[in-house]
Amino acid sequence: MLEYLRNAADKPLAKVLMGILIFSFVGWGVAEWVFGLTSSDTTLLRVGGDKVSVQQYMTMRSNELSAMPRDVQRELYADPIKMSDFQNGVIAHMAAARRVQKYARDLGYVVSEHRIANDIRNIPQFQDNGKFSTAAFDVVLQNSGLTEADIANDMRAKALNEMVRAPVATQMETPRFAIVAAYNARNVKREINVATVNLSSFKVEKPTDEKLRDFYAQNPHRVAEARDISYVIVPAAMDKPDEYEIGLKKAQSMEDDIIGGESLASAAKKHGAKFVQHSGVSAGKLPDDKNINESMLVRIFDMPGATESELIETKNGFVIIRVDNIIPEHDADFDSIKKELAAEWTRAEQEKLAYVRANELLVDLNKDGKLQGAKKMTVSRTDGAPMPVLVAAFKNPIGDNSIVSGTDAFYVVNVAAEKLPAVDDKKINDMKSEIANITMRDMDADYGSYLERRYPAKINDKTYNRFVK
């Protein structure tokens, strides 16, 4: 065959065919280059122009996964949402590390080989009897799969990180007057007078259907979208490799039958799996079923009607879900919520009457300085009265009078006086440490935001969708 092609190469027809063939290959390559179809670019992330490859991401991802307990790993693999969050977290950490390295280069920081060598010698894992051991160093490298260059690069990155973050690594001294002011603000107490007007103190007539219909027209009740679902589960001890493999094979065989047209119920019966049905499943109405949790609910509501999911790994086994029917969001039927409407109407009427009474008490208080039925209270920012009253007691100035709405009552509140706490040096010193830590965290967060703005990260969507998503 090859001999035939060589002999025919000089013929005009052969030259035309070769030209077409060559043009096809060149055109194919050019099209890939023009339209971005080439798979040679494995850049996952660019940080301020620096490239982070998908291979570097995979290494970091593997390292972080291997450091996790086995049960946490299985939980990640069984929950796509948690796995996506984990993977995006790895990318975010890599971007943050690359920003620090790039900023260090821009600032002209250099880490000498001498410092790296000293840092490596001082790592306890590389020492024997307090001294650096070449044998211990080699054992760690062999067990971890790392090279000397990997260790050196990691030490260099840590040293550069310390240099770059030095401006926010030193605690700032907070003036004592500011610490004392914060201590007083947290521990101050206030004396208040409070009159409580309970809604339950007011009796109202039973509403007629006409009133309820008018009330319903002004306060419509919407029933959220719900779904009728069914699923099959092949139970398996997911943390035991042998049982995991047996369960997986059974689930895959059952999945093949379902894809072939069998119903979930018949496929479950055939393979000894469990078949379950639930009606009206929604975010506000989860069934009492350990296999239908919030993450599974997200899957269910992402699926179109009359379709089955792919095989899903959960901590209890292998699951295939089917959305049998979709019940759209709709207005609730009046008769079905009549009892609920009656309770809401009664409460609304009680609120009107209670608010009128609270206003009467407030008018008298502002006019005469007396609050009928008042109770004296000494309150802190966290206890001594219902939370809405506490908020008003510290939000409003001394001498203020106001009406505060609570869960089942209105409160008329008079802020009478303020009591500063006694000086406690230990608590003030604790406050000083707390303020210093908060300041450090805020500065570090601001510094990180500055680096994000200076070196923005851009993900290569094509590579991300292919290797990460």
Side-chain angles (χ1 to χ4, degrees):
M1 182 67 178
L2 292 175
E3 184 65 25
Y4 172 79
L5 291 175
R6 279 194 289 269
N7 293 335
D10 291 332
K11 297 180 180 180
L13 179 59
K15 291 181 180 180
V16 172
L17 293 175
M18 289 293 289
I20 293 173
L21 185 61
I22 292 170
F23 178 79
S24 298
F25 279 109
V26 172
W28 184 15
V30 170
E32 283 194 337
W33 179 75
V34 171
F35 295 107
L37 300 175
T38 180
S39 60
S40 61
D41 183 11
T42 59
T43 300
L44 175 64
L45 184 70
R46 284 180 173 83
V47 182
D50 281 6
K51 294 181 179 180
V52 177
S53 69
V54 72
Q55 290 85 355
Q56 291 171 310
Y57 159 78
M58 290 297 185
T59 300
M60 176 69 76
R61 178 182 180 276
S62 298
N63 291 341
E64 294 200 16
L65 277 173
S66 62
M68 294 178 177
R70 179 63 63 87
D71 57 336
V72 177
Q73 292 182 30
R74 288 206 175 276
E75 186 177 352
L76 283 178
Y77 283 113
D79 191 330
I81 296 176
K82 290 183 178 179
M83 176 59 80
S84 177
D85 291 342
F86 163 73
Q87 294 180 150
N88 290 335
V90 173
I91 294 174
H93 294 160
M94 296 184 73
R98 188 56 62 97
R99 288 189 186 100
V100 170
Q101 295 172 22
K102 187 164 179 59
Y103 193 38
R105 290 200 307 270
D106 290 350
L107 293 174
Y109 292 160
V110 176
V111 181
S112 67
E113 298 296 331
H114 180 70
R115 172 174 175 174
I116 292 175
N118 283 337
D119 288 346
I120 291 176
R121 291 191 189 98
N122 291 327
I123 296 177
Q125 289 87 340
F126 301 153
Q127 294 181 351
D128 186 12
N129 294 325
K131 294 183 178 180
F132 178 76
S133 168
T134 303
F137 182 68
D138 291 339
V139 168
V140 172
L141 291 183
Q142 183 177 1
N143 292 339
S144 64
L146 300 174
T147 65
E148 292 185 26
D150 293 332
I151 299 294
N153 289 336
D154 183 62
M155 299 304 296
R156 180 177 287 105
K158 289 179 179 177
L160 290 174
N161 185 69
E162 291 177 3
M163 293 178 182
V164 168
R165 295 200 172 273
V168 295
T170 304
Q171 286 192 351
M172 296 180 64
E173 188 70 22
T174 304
R176 182 175 173 81
F177 77 85
I179 298 171
V180 172
Y183 168 77
N184 287 339
R186 175 177 292 183
N187 297 286
V188 67
K189 292 188 176 182
R190 286 195 166 184
E191 295 178 353
I192 60 175
N193 299 303
V194 181
T196 304
V197 182
N198 291 305
L199 272 60
S200 58
S201 300
F202 299 87
K203 305 301 180 183
V204 296
E205 62 181 4
K206 185 178 179 180
T208 63
D209 280 3
E210 183 180 357
K211 288 182 177 180
L212 286 182
R213 289 186 183 279
D214 291 341
F215 181 78
Y216 186 36
Q218 298 172 10
N219 303 274
H221 283 227
R222 295 288 291 173
V223 179
E225 179 184 319
R227 300 194 168 201
D228 298 333
I229 66 165
S230 55
Y231 71 86
V232 289
I233 180 170
V234 177
M238 305 297 275
D239 58 342
K240 297 179 180 179
D242 291 341
E243 293 188 32
Y244 175 91
E245 290 298 329
I246 293 172
L248 177 60
K249 289 180 180 178
K250 181 188 289 187
Q252 288 173 335
S253 178
M254 181 178 65
E255 183 182 31
D256 291 340
D257 289 341
I258 292 171
I259 293 173
E262 283 198 41
S263 67
L264 266 64
S266 62
K269 184 177 181 180
K270 177 179 178 181
H271 293 277
K274 183 179 180 182
F275 174 72
V276 181
Q277 288 181 300
H278 293 295
S279 299
V281 175
S282 67
K285 187 184 175 184
L286 277 176
D288 184 15
D289 187 332
K290 63 183 179 181
N291 297 312
I292 307 299
N293 52 29
E294 291 185 3
S295 62
M296 191 66 79
L297 190 68
V298 172
R299 282 179 173 270
I300 291 170
F301 275 79
D302 280 342
M303 294 170 58
T307 59
E308 294 90 15
S309 70
E310 75 282 4
L311 194 63
I312 304 169
E313 291 188 22
T314 72
K315 63 181 181 180
N316 300 314
F318 301 91
V319 173
I320 297 176
I321 292 179
R322 175 180 171 81
V323 176
D324 298 311
N325 182 42
I326 296 176
I327 306 166
E329 182 182 8
H330 59 279
D331 286 330
D333 178 68
F334 174 80
D335 290 330
S336 68
I337 59 168
K338 187 175 178 180
K339 185 176 180 180
E340 182 181 346
L341 285 173
E344 292 179 6
W345 182 90
T346 299
R347 179 183 174 83
E349 292 299 308
Q350 288 176 323
E351 283 183 346
K352 294 176 185 177
L353 296 172
Y355 188 70
V356 169
R357 177 56 183 157
N359 268 281
E360 292 172 351
L361 293 174
L362 180 62
V363 169
D364 291 341
L365 174 61
N366 290 332
K367 180 179 178 182
D368 304 326
K370 295 181 180 179
L371 181 56
Q372 184 180 344
K375 180 180 179 181
K376 285 189 175 182
M377 300 178 178
T378 299
V379 298
S380 70
R381 291 185 179 273
T382 58
D383 61 69
M387 187 54 65
V389 174
L390 295 181
V391 172
F394 286 92
K395 177 182 177 182
N396 299 330
I398 303 299
D400 182 81
N401 302 322
S402 62
I403 295 177
V404 178
S405 176
T407 304
D408 297 304
F410 287 102
Y411 305 95
V412 183
V413 181
N414 161 246
V415 184
E418 186 171 79
K419 296 174 63 177
L420 292 176
V423 175
D424 186 322
D425 289 334
K426 182 181 183 304
K427 290 183 178 180
I428 289 176
N429 287 331
D430 290 343
M431 177 70 73
K432 179 180 179 180
S433 299
E434 182 181 341
I435 290 174
N437 291 333
I438 292 173
T439 302
M440 291 286 291
R441 287 198 299 269
D442 289 344
M443 289 177 61
D444 189 68
D446 287 344
Y447 198 41
S449 297
Y450 162 73
L451 293 179
E452 286 183 21
R453 294 191 300 271
R454 185 180 178 107
Y455 306 109
K458 185 175 182 180
I459 291 179
N460 183 340
D461 290 332
K462 186 173 70 174
T463 305
Y464 178 88
N465 293 334
R466 182 178 178 187
F467 293 101
V468 180
K469 190 173 182 180

